[in-house]
Amino acid sequence: QDVLSAIQRLEQTVKENPNDAGSKLLLANALHDAGTHDAAYLPRAIEAYRSFLKAKPNDPNARVDLGICYFEVGKLDSTRAGEFFANAVKEMEAALKSDPKHQPGAFNLGIVQLYSGNFQESNKWFKKAVDLNPESDLGKRAKTILDQHSQQM
């Protein structure tokens, strides 16, 4: 209920202040968070991130979060999964283009590629995530996935 109230308040703020990029990002993040519990929020999160990125196109965190939303929608929509996964890859690659050391971008690109069955490509991105910071949570998770892949070979 608190999340819904926050979303409504943020939607009103964005409506009243359409050039307020910070509020657009807060709305996108709130919708994304709500989408983890109810996928019906994900299309709205996608639109909110796209609106934010018109003003701030080089924000790697927003790009990765948009990519995650596309990925999650693709997992639910089997008829258009390829399209959504391609959009997820495009957004995550854009994040890495603007910030080549963006570990969440590399890790999540590995996840999307893995889910798509592109094991070689996924391993490339997991290795990059490890190389960027092997001691971080994402670096350790990427290393675990790589270790599992090497045991299966």
Side-chain angles (χ1 to χ4, degrees):
Q1 189 65 19
D2 290 340
V3 174
L4 297 178
S5 296
I7 289 171
Q8 289 174 339
R9 283 192 307 275
L10 286 165
E11 285 175 327
Q12 187 62 36
T13 300
V14 169
K15 185 177 178 181
E16 293 170 0
N17 306 290
N19 295 323
D20 181 356
S23 292
K24 286 182 179 183
L25 182 59
L26 289 172
L27 174 59
N29 289 338
L31 290 164
H32 180 199
D33 291 345
T36 63
H37 303 288
D38 182 350
Y41 288 98
L42 291 172
R44 289 170 57 196
I46 288 170
E47 290 309 311
Y49 280 121
R50 289 172 51 144
S51 178
F52 169 77
L53 287 164
K54 285 178 185 173
K56 305 280 187 183
N58 294 323
D59 184 309
N61 293 320
R63 288 252 174 237
V64 170
D65 288 344
L66 173 57
I68 291 169
C69 290
Y70 278 129
F71 174 65
E72 292 299 329
V73 170
K75 289 185 345 188
L76 299 171
D77 185 346
S78 61
T79 60
R80 296 178 54 205
E83 172 189 341
F84 287 118
F85 290 167
N87 285 337
V89 167
K90 182 182 107 189
E91 294 301 333
M92 292 174 188
E93 286 177 342
L96 287 161
K97 186 176 181 184
S98 70
D99 182 358
K101 294 183 179 187
H102 193 262
Q103 189 181 36
F107 180 83
N108 282 290
L109 196 45
I111 294 292
V112 174
Q113 295 291 0
L114 179 62
Y115 198 89
S116 300
N118 301 324
F119 298 109
Q120 197 169 17
E121 191 70 9
S122 71
N123 284 347
K124 174 181 103 173
W125 292 109
F126 289 134
K127 285 177 186 167
K128 179 165 176 89
V130 171
D131 290 345
L132 287 171
N133 185 351
E135 299 306 316
S136 71
D137 181 53
L138 288 179
K140 290 175 184 176
R141 288 172 57 196
K143 173 97 170 70
T144 299
I145 293 169
L146 287 168
D147 289 346
Q148 291 170 346
H149 289 179
S150 68
Q151 291 173 3
Q152 294 174 354
M153 301 255 175

PDB file of all heavy atoms in Angstrom, residues 56-78:
ATOM      1  N   LYS A  56      18.456  12.127 -19.673  1.00  0.00           N
ATOM      2  CA  LYS A  56      19.770  11.680 -19.165  1.00  0.00           C
ATOM      3  C   LYS A  56      20.182  10.377 -19.872  1.00  0.00           C
ATOM      4  O   LYS A  56      20.210   9.302 -19.270  1.00  0.00           O
ATOM      5  CB  LYS A  56      19.711  11.431 -17.659  1.00  0.00           C
ATOM      6  CG  LYS A  56      19.227  12.608 -16.844  1.00  0.00           C
ATOM      7  CD  LYS A  56      20.323  13.597 -16.628  1.00  0.00           C
ATOM      8  CE  LYS A  56      19.832  14.681 -15.667  1.00  0.00           C
ATOM      9  NZ  LYS A  56      20.793  15.702 -15.460  1.00  0.00           N
ATOM     10  N   PRO A  57      20.511  10.451 -21.164  1.00  0.00           N
ATOM     11  CA  PRO A  57      20.747   9.221 -21.938  1.00  0.00           C
ATOM     12  C   PRO A  57      21.966   8.406 -21.527  1.00  0.00           C
ATOM     13  O   PRO A  57      22.060   7.231 -21.873  1.00  0.00           O
ATOM     14  CB  PRO A  57      20.892   9.727 -23.371  1.00  0.00           C
ATOM     15  CG  PRO A  57      21.276  11.160 -23.238  1.00  0.00           C
ATOM     16  CD  PRO A  57      20.649  11.654 -21.969  1.00  0.00           C
ATOM     17  N   ASN A  58      22.884   8.991 -20.797  1.00  0.00           N
ATOM     18  CA  ASN A  58      24.108   8.274 -20.433  1.00  0.00           C
ATOM     19  C   ASN A  58      24.101   7.733 -19.014  1.00  0.00           C
ATOM     20  O   ASN A  58      25.157   7.379 -18.489  1.00  0.00           O
ATOM     21  CB  ASN A  58      25.329   9.161 -20.663  1.00  0.00           C
ATOM     22  CG  ASN A  58      25.530   9.455 -22.125  1.00  0.00           C
ATOM     23  OD1 ASN A  58      25.297   8.600 -22.984  1.00  0.00           O
ATOM     24  ND2 ASN A  58      25.937  10.664 -22.442  1.00  0.00           N
ATOM     25  N   ASP A  59      22.945   7.654 -18.379  1.00  0.00           N
ATOM     26  CA  ASP A  59      22.867   7.127 -17.021  1.00  0.00           C
ATOM     27  C   ASP A  59      22.916   5.595 -17.087  1.00  0.00           C
ATOM     28  O   ASP A  59      21.931   4.959 -17.465  1.00  0.00           O
ATOM     29  CB  ASP A  59      21.581   7.590 -16.343  1.00  0.00           C
ATOM     30  CG  ASP A  59      21.502   7.155 -14.892  1.00  0.00           C
ATOM     31  OD1 ASP A  59      21.693   5.957 -14.609  1.00  0.00           O
ATOM     32  OD2 ASP A  59      21.221   8.017 -14.041  1.00  0.00           O
ATOM     33  N   PRO A  60      24.055   4.982 -16.726  1.00  0.00           N
ATOM     34  CA  PRO A  60      24.167   3.532 -16.885  1.00  0.00           C
ATOM     35  C   PRO A  60      23.244   2.748 -15.954  1.00  0.00           C
ATOM     36  O   PRO A  60      22.763   1.674 -16.323  1.00  0.00           O
ATOM     37  CB  PRO A  60      25.647   3.246 -16.592  1.00  0.00           C
ATOM     38  CG  PRO A  60      26.102   4.390 -15.747  1.00  0.00           C
ATOM     39  CD  PRO A  60      25.277   5.573 -16.173  1.00  0.00           C
ATOM     40  N   ASN A  61      22.999   3.274 -14.758  1.00  0.00           N
ATOM     41  CA  ASN A  61      22.115   2.550 -13.834  1.00  0.00           C
ATOM     42  C   ASN A  61      20.699   2.464 -14.378  1.00  0.00           C
ATOM     43  O   ASN A  61      20.062   1.409 -14.338  1.00  0.00           O
ATOM     44  CB  ASN A  61      22.119   3.204 -12.453  1.00  0.00           C
ATOM     45  CG  ASN A  61      23.456   3.064 -11.765  1.00  0.00           C
ATOM     46  OD1 ASN A  61      24.099   2.029 -11.835  1.00  0.00           O
ATOM     47  ND2 ASN A  61      23.886   4.124 -11.117  1.00  0.00           N
ATOM     48  N   ALA A  62      20.201   3.585 -14.902  1.00  0.00           N
ATOM     49  CA  ALA A  62      18.847   3.585 -15.472  1.00  0.00           C
ATOM     50  C   ALA A  62      18.787   2.693 -16.705  1.00  0.00           C
ATOM     51  O   ALA A  62      17.792   1.983 -16.918  1.00  0.00           O
ATOM     52  CB  ALA A  62      18.418   5.009 -15.811  1.00  0.00           C
ATOM     53  N   ARG A  63      19.838   2.698 -17.517  1.00  0.00           N
ATOM     54  CA  ARG A  63      19.871   1.837 -18.713  1.00  0.00           C
ATOM     55  C   ARG A  63      19.807   0.361 -18.312  1.00  0.00           C
ATOM     56  O   ARG A  63      19.068  -0.420 -18.901  1.00  0.00           O
ATOM     57  CB  ARG A  63      21.127   2.077 -19.536  1.00  0.00           C
ATOM     58  CG  ARG A  63      21.131   3.367 -20.260  1.00  0.00           C
ATOM     59  CD  ARG A  63      20.952   3.175 -21.755  1.00  0.00           C
ATOM     60  NE  ARG A  63      20.830   4.479 -22.357  1.00  0.00           N
ATOM     61  CZ  ARG A  63      19.796   4.865 -23.088  1.00  0.00           C
ATOM     62  NH1 ARG A  63      18.816   4.033 -23.344  1.00  0.00           N
ATOM     63  NH2 ARG A  63      19.754   6.074 -23.576  1.00  0.00           N
ATOM     64  N   VAL A  64      20.591  -0.017 -17.315  1.00  0.00           N
ATOM     65  CA  VAL A  64      20.585  -1.415 -16.865  1.00  0.00           C
ATOM     66  C   VAL A  64      19.222  -1.766 -16.268  1.00  0.00           C
ATOM     67  O   VAL A  64      18.669  -2.833 -16.554  1.00  0.00           O
ATOM     68  CB  VAL A  64      21.732  -1.687 -15.873  1.00  0.00           C
ATOM     69  CG1 VAL A  64      21.585  -3.060 -15.226  1.00  0.00           C
ATOM     70  CG2 VAL A  64      23.080  -1.595 -16.591  1.00  0.00           C
ATOM     71  N   ASP A  65      18.667  -0.875 -15.467  1.00  0.00           N
ATOM     72  CA  ASP A  65      17.355  -1.147 -14.882  1.00  0.00           C
ATOM     73  C   ASP A  65      16.283  -1.273 -15.966  1.00  0.00           C
ATOM     74  O   ASP A  65      15.402  -2.140 -15.876  1.00  0.00           O
ATOM     75  CB  ASP A  65      16.977  -0.067 -13.876  1.00  0.00           C
ATOM     76  CG  ASP A  65      17.795  -0.157 -12.595  1.00  0.00           C
ATOM     77  OD1 ASP A  65      18.430  -1.210 -12.356  1.00  0.00           O
ATOM     78  OD2 ASP A  65      17.792   0.821 -11.832  1.00  0.00           O
ATOM     79  N   LEU A  66      16.361  -0.443 -16.999  1.00  0.00           N
ATOM     80  CA  LEU A  66      15.441  -0.573 -18.132  1.00  0.00           C
ATOM     81  C   LEU A  66      15.635  -1.930 -18.799  1.00  0.00           C
ATOM     82  O   LEU A  66      14.672  -2.626 -19.110  1.00  0.00           O
ATOM     83  CB  LEU A  66      15.661   0.570 -19.130  1.00  0.00           C
ATOM     84  CG  LEU A  66      14.892   0.485 -20.444  1.00  0.00           C
ATOM     85  CD1 LEU A  66      13.390   0.382 -20.219  1.00  0.00           C
ATOM     86  CD2 LEU A  66      15.242   1.691 -21.328  1.00  0.00           C
ATOM     87  N   GLY A  67      16.885  -2.312 -18.978  1.00  0.00           N
ATOM     88  CA  GLY A  67      17.172  -3.620 -19.564  1.00  0.00           C
ATOM     89  C   GLY A  67      16.614  -4.761 -18.731  1.00  0.00           C
ATOM     90  O   GLY A  67      16.062  -5.729 -19.268  1.00  0.00           O
ATOM     91  N   ILE A  68      16.713  -4.641 -17.416  1.00  0.00           N
ATOM     92  CA  ILE A  68      16.167  -5.670 -16.522  1.00  0.00           C
ATOM     93  C   ILE A  68      14.648  -5.743 -16.684  1.00  0.00           C
ATOM     94  O   ILE A  68      14.069  -6.835 -16.725  1.00  0.00           O
ATOM     95  CB  ILE A  68      16.570  -5.398 -15.058  1.00  0.00           C
ATOM     96  CG1 ILE A  68      18.073  -5.629 -14.879  1.00  0.00           C
ATOM     97  CG2 ILE A  68      15.768  -6.277 -14.099  1.00  0.00           C
ATOM     98  CD1 ILE A  68      18.631  -5.143 -13.549  1.00  0.00           C
ATOM     99  N   CYS A  69      14.005  -4.600 -16.807  1.00  0.00           N
ATOM    100  CA  CYS A  69      12.545  -4.596 -17.019  1.00  0.00           C
ATOM    101  C   CYS A  69      12.189  -5.303 -18.324  1.00  0.00           C
ATOM    102  O   CYS A  69      11.259  -6.122 -18.358  1.00  0.00           O
ATOM    103  CB  CYS A  69      12.006  -3.167 -17.022  1.00  0.00           C
ATOM    104  SG  CYS A  69      12.029  -2.349 -15.417  1.00  0.00           S
ATOM    105  N   TYR A  70      12.910  -4.986 -19.396  1.00  0.00           N
ATOM    106  CA  TYR A  70      12.662  -5.674 -20.669  1.00  0.00           C
ATOM    107  C   TYR A  70      12.857  -7.187 -20.503  1.00  0.00           C
ATOM    108  O   TYR A  70      12.065  -7.991 -20.996  1.00  0.00           O
ATOM    109  CB  TYR A  70      13.610  -5.169 -21.756  1.00  0.00           C
ATOM    110  CG  TYR A  70      13.194  -3.889 -22.419  1.00  0.00           C
ATOM    111  CD1 TYR A  70      14.088  -2.827 -22.529  1.00  0.00           C
ATOM    112  CD2 TYR A  70      11.931  -3.728 -22.978  1.00  0.00           C
ATOM    113  CE1 TYR A  70      13.737  -1.641 -23.163  1.00  0.00           C
ATOM    114  CE2 TYR A  70      11.567  -2.555 -23.613  1.00  0.00           C
ATOM    115  CZ  TYR A  70      12.476  -1.519 -23.706  1.00  0.00           C
ATOM    116  OH  TYR A  70      12.124  -0.354 -24.341  1.00  0.00           O
ATOM    117  N   PHE A  71      13.913  -7.568 -19.818  1.00  0.00           N
ATOM    118  CA  PHE A  71      14.212  -8.987 -19.603  1.00  0.00           C
ATOM    119  C   PHE A  71      13.083  -9.670 -18.842  1.00  0.00           C
ATOM    120  O   PHE A  71      12.619 -10.750 -19.225  1.00  0.00           O
ATOM    121  CB  PHE A  71      15.543  -9.106 -18.853  1.00  0.00           C
ATOM    122  CG  PHE A  71      15.905 -10.505 -18.440  1.00  0.00           C
ATOM    123  CD1 PHE A  71      16.169 -11.481 -19.378  1.00  0.00           C
ATOM    124  CD2 PHE A  71      16.008 -10.829 -17.095  1.00  0.00           C
ATOM    125  CE1 PHE A  71      16.514 -12.771 -18.987  1.00  0.00           C
ATOM    126  CE2 PHE A  71      16.359 -12.105 -16.694  1.00  0.00           C
ATOM    127  CZ  PHE A  71      16.610 -13.080 -17.652  1.00  0.00           C
ATOM    128  N   GLU A  72      12.630  -9.037 -17.780  1.00  0.00           N
ATOM    129  CA  GLU A  72      11.554  -9.635 -16.963  1.00  0.00           C
ATOM    130  C   GLU A  72      10.256  -9.758 -17.760  1.00  0.00           C
ATOM    131  O   GLU A  72       9.559 -10.764 -17.649  1.00  0.00           O
ATOM    132  CB  GLU A  72      11.337  -8.823 -15.684  1.00  0.00           C
ATOM    133  CG  GLU A  72      12.493  -8.887 -14.704  1.00  0.00           C
ATOM    134  CD  GLU A  72      12.792 -10.279 -14.193  1.00  0.00           C
ATOM    135  OE1 GLU A  72      11.867 -11.103 -14.069  1.00  0.00           O
ATOM    136  OE2 GLU A  72      13.978 -10.558 -13.917  1.00  0.00           O
ATOM    137  N   VAL A  73       9.932  -8.757 -18.562  1.00  0.00           N
ATOM    138  CA  VAL A  73       8.736  -8.839 -19.398  1.00  0.00           C
ATOM    139  C   VAL A  73       8.908  -9.946 -20.438  1.00  0.00           C
ATOM    140  O   VAL A  73       7.975 -10.709 -20.711  1.00  0.00           O
ATOM    141  CB  VAL A  73       8.428  -7.481 -20.070  1.00  0.00           C
ATOM    142  CG1 VAL A  73       7.326  -7.620 -21.123  1.00  0.00           C
ATOM    143  CG2 VAL A  73       8.022  -6.455 -19.028  1.00  0.00           C
ATOM    144  N   GLY A  74      10.097 -10.068 -20.985  1.00  0.00           N
ATOM    145  CA  GLY A  74      10.368 -11.115 -21.976  1.00  0.00           C
ATOM    146  C   GLY A  74      10.203 -12.510 -21.409  1.00  0.00           C
ATOM    147  O   GLY A  74       9.757 -13.426 -22.118  1.00  0.00           O
ATOM    148  N   LYS A  75      10.552 -12.688 -20.154  1.00  0.00           N
ATOM    149  CA  LYS A  75      10.379 -14.000 -19.526  1.00  0.00           C
ATOM    150  C   LYS A  75       8.899 -14.365 -19.400  1.00  0.00           C
ATOM    151  O   LYS A  75       8.549 -15.533 -19.354  1.00  0.00           O
ATOM    152  CB  LYS A  75      11.040 -14.030 -18.148  1.00  0.00           C
ATOM    153  CG  LYS A  75      12.549 -14.014 -18.233  1.00  0.00           C
ATOM    154  CD  LYS A  75      13.303 -14.150 -16.924  1.00  0.00           C
ATOM    155  CE  LYS A  75      12.629 -13.966 -15.645  1.00  0.00           C
ATOM    156  NZ  LYS A  75      13.502 -13.945 -14.471  1.00  0.00           N
ATOM    157  N   LEU A  76       8.039 -13.350 -19.359  1.00  0.00           N
ATOM    158  CA  LEU A  76       6.603 -13.586 -19.184  1.00  0.00           C
ATOM    159  C   LEU A  76       5.842 -13.648 -20.512  1.00  0.00           C
ATOM    160  O   LEU A  76       4.755 -14.210 -20.566  1.00  0.00           O
ATOM    161  CB  LEU A  76       5.995 -12.469 -18.321  1.00  0.00           C
ATOM    162  CG  LEU A  76       6.563 -12.357 -16.913  1.00  0.00           C
ATOM    163  CD1 LEU A  76       6.048 -11.096 -16.245  1.00  0.00           C
ATOM    164  CD2 LEU A  76       6.220 -13.589 -16.093  1.00  0.00           C
ATOM    165  N   ASP A  77       6.392 -13.048 -21.551  1.00  0.00           N
ATOM    166  CA  ASP A  77       5.715 -12.960 -22.846  1.00  0.00           C
ATOM    167  C   ASP A  77       6.476 -13.799 -23.875  1.00  0.00           C
ATOM    168  O   ASP A  77       7.332 -13.292 -24.589  1.00  0.00           O
ATOM    169  CB  ASP A  77       5.637 -11.494 -23.287  1.00  0.00           C
ATOM    170  CG  ASP A  77       4.843 -11.292 -24.564  1.00  0.00           C
ATOM    171  OD1 ASP A  77       4.558 -12.280 -25.274  1.00  0.00           O
ATOM    172  OD2 ASP A  77       4.509 -10.131 -24.859  1.00  0.00           O
ATOM    173  N   SER A  78       6.141 -15.081 -23.948  1.00  0.00           N
ATOM    174  CA  SER A  78       6.905 -15.986 -24.814  1.00  0.00           C
ATOM    175  C   SER A  78       6.767 -15.636 -26.292  1.00  0.00           C
ATOM    176  O   SER A  78       7.658 -15.932 -27.078  1.00  0.00           O
ATOM    177  CB  SER A  78       6.489 -17.435 -24.566  1.00  0.00           C
ATOM    178  OG  SER A  78       5.120 -17.612 -24.853  1.00  0.00           O
TER     179      SER A  78
END
